[in-house]
Amino acid sequence: MQCPKCSSPMETIDLLSSRSQRCTNCSGLWFFMGEERLLKAQAEVVDTGDAAVGAQYNHVDRIKCPTCADSQLVRMVDPQQPHIWFESCSFCFGRFYDA
């Protein structure tokens, strides 16, 4: 899988039975449907990226879903934490979070 933000390879996050992915370059995170909730308690272990790098890539918001062909991701805001923005696929419901 390629990162939808910087096109670098993604690697599997080896926690629980997760299939989630982390970018090897920008450390952005791709979660398959619902997996972000499963890994929320381990956020410090999962989100190992540099916040400054994440802020740089946060400005890139017109990206395609890494798993669905030709599906544009939609920018969303977490209603409980409005400082957290992410992109979501309306077909597979996957989510991409910057580092």
Side-chain angles (χ1 to χ4, degrees):
M1 177 183 298
Q2 299 298 116
C3 176
K5 293 271 180 137
C6 73
S7 300
S8 295
M10 303 279 282
E11 60 187 3
T12 301
I13 298 170
D14 292 323
L15 292 172
L16 302 171
S17 61
S18 172
R19 299 179 300 139
S20 299
Q21 304 275 311
R22 181 186 301 115
C23 178
T24 58
N25 178 51
C26 72
S27 297
L29 300 166
W30 174 257
F31 295 107
F32 290 91
M33 183 174 73
E35 287 191 337
E36 75 280 354
R37 286 177 271 154
L38 293 174
L39 298 175
K40 190 173 185 177
Q42 300 177 20
E44 291 181 15
V45 175
V46 173
D47 188 4
T48 59
D50 182 339
V53 173
Q56 245 183 328
Y57 283 99
N58 194 37
H59 298 291
V60 180
D61 65 350
R62 299 196 185 279
I63 59 175
K64 293 189 178 201
C65 179
T67 60
C68 298
D70 299 322
S71 175
Q72 190 80 22
L73 297 183
V74 177
R75 172 64 60 96
M76 312 270 301
V77 176
D78 185 327
Q80 295 174 346
Q81 301 177 66
H83 63 284
I84 297 178
W85 296 2
F86 61 93
E87 286 82 23
S88 180
C89 179
S90 33
F91 292 103
C92 72
F93 304 105
R95 292 182 174 190
F96 185 85
Y97 291 85
D98 294 300

